[in-house]
Amino acid sequence: MIATEPTSSSEIKSSSEMESSNGNKPAATDGFHLVVDALKLNGIDTIYGVAGIPITDLARLAQAEGIRFIGFRHEQSAGNAAAIAGYLTQKPGICLTVSAPGFLNGLVAVANATTNGFPMIQISGSSDREIVDLQQGDYEELDQMNAAKPYTKAAFRVNKPEDIGVGIARAIRAAVSGRPGGVYLDLPAEVLGAALDANVGVDSLVRVVDPAPRQIPAPESIERALDLVASAERPLIILGKGAAYSQADSDIRSFIEKTGIPYLPMSMAKGLLPDNHPQSAAAARSLVLAEADVIMLIGARLNWLLAHGKAPRWSPTTRFVQVDISPTEMDSNRPIAAPVIADIGSAMSAFLSMLKPGQIQPQTAWIKTIAERKQHNIERMAVRLNANPSPMNFSSALRAVRDFLADKPDIYVVNEGANTLDFGRDIIDMQQPRKRLDSGTWGVMGIGMGYAIGAAVTSGKPVVAIEGDSAFGFSGMEIETICRYSLPIVTVIFNNGGIYRGDDVNRSGGADPSPTILMRSARYDKLIEAFGGTGYHVTDPQGLTKALAEAVASGKPAVVNCVIDPTAGTESGHLQTLNPTSQIGSGRK
Ligand code: ADP
Ligand code: MG
């Protein structure tokens, strides 16, 4: 956790002091040491990054001073690891990058963190300010702070070493307070290398007190919300990843169980209550979205993932409670009748303490309707899941993964792809909070290995990453990182030989493959063998189960090349409506 106790400068044992050869005379310090001291003072224990000019010595020094440095092959994956570490721990994940191109590579991850509400800080070295500002053509010249601004929650630059403490303090607060997000901190090379009197340095450091203060809801907002929910005939709760982030797991569960209201988890909120909970309406999703008369959003936004709350999927007369830390989220897509602005922990405990006995009594007719639809849908899905087509498809392969994971709730599941994501979300049950990490708000590809590494490093627990063959390619080189740090990550690649599917053709009749085709013959399992890991090549569910069991039990890095039917999968997965098709004949067949 971030330190919350104030301290005096005399308590700080600075790395530069330890290097002092003269006991009485104050030693000098410099920007490098001050950054490390400031991070340590604020409880930062891990940095994810890629070394190079001008931050190589910063990475070395951080490691020498006891901060764990995880070195990646590409900054985007380092940033993704930092972001997911932030989501899991509520501490800002730190990503360290080199100037210009390295900075830009990391920026994608910071932008993704901001979009998802994950607290992270990208710290980047940068080139000489005077030369950059006059555009005189410096090595890796780029005005990085201004480039970062549109994609971050906040961006800061430190221009003198005695401001490093303040810069890091501001970055930490910006990342974790309110709606968390990605923050950029620019450290020019000359600031890192600048010398400073050690005492002045120590006195300039800031230990951030209460960086993410509780935000207590107004009692009248709680009362208004409870009244609205109590008036409902068909109430529904939607849990989002903000609810998972808040770590108010037991209060969320008690509120749902006390009120008996059916709930729907967004994908990263799966496991907040176990997916087999009787009140879960996940298997009746379309029905509850269309028919609920009052919906209580807890840490979930009415964005594209919820069809913006609009018809035809949603009823135009539904009324909303929204619990969120960000006041400006209200009314963004639908009018919010009962906004509750608070951190979710404080909001849930207020709901529990203000809820009167018997105030909320869900209609039995509503519960019965949901139960019937669930039963019907579960039976329909069972037919698909229990089929054993040859070659195997998404359903039969994911059935093997689901059954394997069923008695191992501790395992983190990372999931990205198109069909691999959509089927994976529906088929794999989660039993514990914050164990499912996926493409998130942007539906982005490329988070896979970064999230897997961040989760393994943060928790020490095993990770199973379920990757589409296309999705895997965006971060696949990090397999070397996984092997170098010996992380317990098993990557299962659903190899159908393409983006969406593997049977598309070149409409010109030429020899080049179609734009969506990848090599189905690719032996992803051999890739990890190059780095000393274990590869498995499987073609049926039994083989997949066996590979998973062996790989997870070993606790070592492994890749499972899971070959599935190239005709399995649909274009754009579940997002077909978002993909315009050509009107003049060259569109999909
Ligand atoms: P999902 O995609 O799962 O629906 P979103 O990322 O769209 O989730 O929404 C998460 C919401 O949770 C955001 O609006 C964010 O402001 C809010 N949030 C994040 N952390 C907290 C917290 N600790 N307390 C209250 N709201 C939070
Ligand atoms: Mg594919």
Side-chain angles (χ1 to χ4, degrees), residues 313-515:
R313 296 200 57 200
W314 295 63
S315 156
T317 55
T318 304
R319 301 213 289 156
F320 290 90
V321 173
Q322 184 161 26
V323 185
D324 204 290
I325 203 158
S326 169
T328 53
E329 185 56 36
M330 304 299 138
D331 311 320
S332 59
N333 287 272
R334 288 279 300 262
I336 303 300
V340 175
I341 310 303
D343 75 89
I344 285 165
S346 302
M348 296 324 290
S349 69
F351 279 128
L352 284 168
S353 67
M354 289 180 72
L355 181 68
K356 299 178 207 89
Q359 187 182 6
I360 295 174
Q361 291 187 323
Q363 298 276 311
T364 39
W366 174 229
I367 306 282
K368 189 160 167 276
T369 311
I370 296 171
E372 282 166 5
R373 179 66 70 91
K374 268 173 75 172
Q375 186 63 25
H376 172 77
N377 287 348
I378 288 169
E379 279 164 16
R380 252 187 19 189
M381 183 149 148
V383 174
R384 270 196 286 125
L385 280 175
N386 295 330
N388 267 316
S390 177
M392 64 179 158
N393 61 13
F394 286 102
S395 296
S396 58
L398 282 162
R399 178 194 70 212
V401 179
R402 178 199 66 179
D403 293 349
F404 172 75
L405 292 173
D407 60 353
K408 298 167 199 71
D410 264 8
I411 294 183
Y412 283 85
V413 173
V414 170
N415 192 194
E416 63 173 336
N419 292 282
T420 309
L421 178 79
D422 292 335
F423 283 103
R425 182 177 52 235
D426 290 348
I427 294 173
I428 295 172
D429 290 333
M430 304 308 299
Q431 300 172 57
Q432 291 183 4
R434 295 171 294 284
K435 285 283 154 76
R436 183 184 159 83
L437 312 170
D438 68 24
S439 301
T441 304
W442 263 348
V444 72
M445 302 290 134
I447 48 86
M449 298 301 99
Y451 280 10
I453 294 169
V457 166
T458 308
S459 69
K461 300 245 164 72
V463 178
V464 171
I466 303 161
E467 301 274 308
D469 52 349
S470 164
F472 172 73
F474 291 90
S475 66
M477 192 62 199
E478 304 301 342
I479 287 289
E480 190 272 338
T481 309
I482 291 170
C483 290
R484 189 162 19 103
Y485 289 90
S486 244
L487 297 170
I489 297 171
V490 179
T491 303
V492 182
I493 297 163
F494 276 51
N495 182 356
N496 65 351
I499 299 173
Y500 311 131
R501 42 195 287 157
D503 61 347
D504 200 29
V505 294
N506 179 339
R507 270 95 171 140
S508 80
D512 283 348
S514 142

Side-chain angles (χ1 to χ4, degrees), residues 90 115-118 178-180 238-243 245-247 265-269 298-303 305-306 322-326 329 342-345 440-441:
Q90 299 181 329
T115 301
N116 281 280
F118 300 157
R179 174 186 289 169
I238 297 181
L239 299 173
K241 62 171 126 45
Y245 175 79
S246 73
Q247 300 192 11
M266 298 301 288
S267 70
M268 283 179 62
I298 305 181
R301 286 172 284 187
L302 277 177
N303 56 18
L305 288 159
L306 286 170
Q322 184 161 26
V323 185
D324 204 290
I325 203 158
S326 169
E329 185 56 36
D343 75 89
I344 285 165
T441 304

Side-chain angles (χ1 to χ4, degrees), residues 20-269:
S20 167
S21 53
N22 182 330
N24 299 322
K25 220 170 118 203
T29 187
D30 60 22
F32 290 112
H33 286 83
L34 288 171
V35 174
V36 172
D37 291 344
L39 292 173
K40 283 178 70 177
L41 181 64
N42 286 289
I44 302 293
D45 53 18
T46 309
I47 294 175
Y48 305 87
V50 180
I53 297 172
I55 49 87
T56 308
D57 262 356
L58 184 55
R60 281 203 191 100
L61 184 69
Q63 188 175 57
E65 293 294 328
I67 293 180
R68 189 161 192 209
F69 184 86
I70 307 290
F72 285 72
R73 304 305 296 260
H74 191 285
E75 291 85 354
Q76 193 182 121
S77 290
N80 284 326
I84 213 64
Y87 170 71
L88 293 171
T89 63
Q90 299 181 329
K91 260 197 324 198
I94 307 292
C95 170
L96 183 63
T97 60
V98 304
S99 40
F103 154 79
L104 287 170
N105 285 343
L107 200 54
V108 174
V110 185
N112 184 59
T114 303
T115 301
N116 281 280
F118 300 157
M120 75 168 281
I121 303 170
Q122 180 181 356
I123 299 179
S124 187
S126 60
S127 306
D128 196 312
R129 286 238 43 79
E130 284 90 352
I131 302 180
V132 171
D133 286 351
L134 274 172
Q135 299 171 36
Q136 293 173 305
D138 204 1
Y139 165 75
E140 297 191 344
E141 176 180 297
L142 183 72
D143 181 1
Q144 296 176 190
M145 181 182 68
N146 284 308
K149 273 184 184 161
Y151 308 107
T152 51
K153 193 177 162 195
F156 305 99
R157 178 165 55 227
V158 174
N159 287 304
K160 46 188 203 294
E162 53 270 43
D163 285 343
I164 285 172
V166 169
I168 287 179
R170 301 212 68 190
I172 289 172
R173 277 199 191 279
V176 298
S177 60
R179 174 186 289 169
V183 173
Y184 177 62
L185 182 65
D186 194 88
L187 298 177
E190 58 195 345
V191 174
L192 287 169
L196 193 71
D197 176 278
N199 287 334
V200 175
V202 167
D203 287 340
S204 73
L205 298 181
V206 179
R207 184 169 186 160
V208 179
V209 178
D210 197 9
R214 295 180 62 191
Q215 297 197 17
I216 313 293
E220 59 273 20
S221 73
I222 297 288
E223 212 167 311
R224 189 192 295 123
L226 286 175
D227 286 347
L228 179 58
V229 175
S231 74
E233 284 178 13
R234 297 178 303 282
L236 175 72
I237 289 172
I238 297 181
L239 299 173
K241 62 171 126 45
Y245 175 79
S246 73
Q247 300 192 11
D249 310 337
S250 67
D251 276 358
I252 290 171
R253 186 169 182 157
S254 346
F255 182 76
I256 289 177
E257 290 180 343
K258 277 208 171 104
T259 59
I261 299 173
Y263 75 96
L264 205 57
M266 298 301 288
S267 70
M268 283 179 62

